[in-house]
Amino acid sequence: MTLNIIVGGILLGNATMNNVYLVPGNNTVPARGIINLKTALTNLPAILSSQVGALTKGNIEMSASGNSTIYNGQHIEYYEKVLNNLMLTTQMPLLAILMDSLKGILGGDGGSTLPFVSGMNVTSIIPLLQNLTTIAGF
């Protein structure tokens, strides 16, 4: 199952979940996400302005909508029809997302804190993001 990842109304990437089996009630499924950094940086001012409420809580608001559902190489159209018309929105801790992303980029195992960001919190990251937009000319 693949979902579109949307932040501030901008499609930034997707999340893929393998071997999904849904049962009635709550379902927690691990996902692997891919974000297009070029798109994120190009749209950083709009993304940041859309996130003011969430950022004050140390979060980022993300939405997901259906993209594709495949079983044994075949699209499962009745799932896709429902999921592609459904928008799920949640807030996630920004620092955790940044840490996981850095670990993935640097080849980390996801189990330990990176030393150069261990003392950072959301209030120290927001000025870095604002400086990045200024440096990049956004």
Side-chain angles (χ1 to χ4, degrees):
M1 181 179 294
T2 303
L3 301 175
N4 296 316
I5 301 299
I6 301 158
V7 177
I10 299 164
L11 176 64
L12 291 183
N14 64 61
T16 301
M17 298 164 285
N18 293 317
N19 303 316
V20 176
Y21 181 75
L22 300 176
V23 296
N26 261 349
N27 289 270
T28 302
V29 180
R32 178 122 179 125
I34 297 172
I35 300 295
N36 184 320
L37 287 177
K38 183 177 179 181
T39 301
L41 290 174
T42 300
N43 293 287
L44 195 54
I47 291 169
L48 289 174
S49 67
S50 74
Q51 299 294 313
V52 172
L55 286 171
T56 59
K57 301 175 200 165
N59 296 326
I60 186 166
E61 187 172 282
M62 302 176 81
S63 299
S65 66
N67 183 305
S68 66
T69 304
I70 300 172
Y71 180 74
N72 285 337
Q74 299 292 317
H75 283 269
I76 310 299
E77 292 181 14
Y78 55 91
Y79 275 117
E80 289 178 343
K81 186 175 181 178
V82 172
L83 292 174
N84 293 6
N85 291 310
L86 183 65
M87 182 73 69
L88 305 171
T89 302
T90 190
Q91 289 191 11
M92 298 177 69
L94 178 61
L95 191 55
I97 292 170
L98 291 173
M99 298 279 289
D100 284 348
S101 297
L102 285 172
K103 288 175 188 172
I105 291 168
L106 299 174
D109 63 5
S112 61
T113 303
L114 295 172
F116 64 92
V117 293
S118 62
M120 297 181 108
N121 58 35
V122 171
T123 53
S124 62
I125 288 173
I126 292 172
L128 292 174
L129 292 174
Q130 291 169 334
N131 288 339
L132 178 62
T133 61
T134 303
I135 292 167
F138 295 114

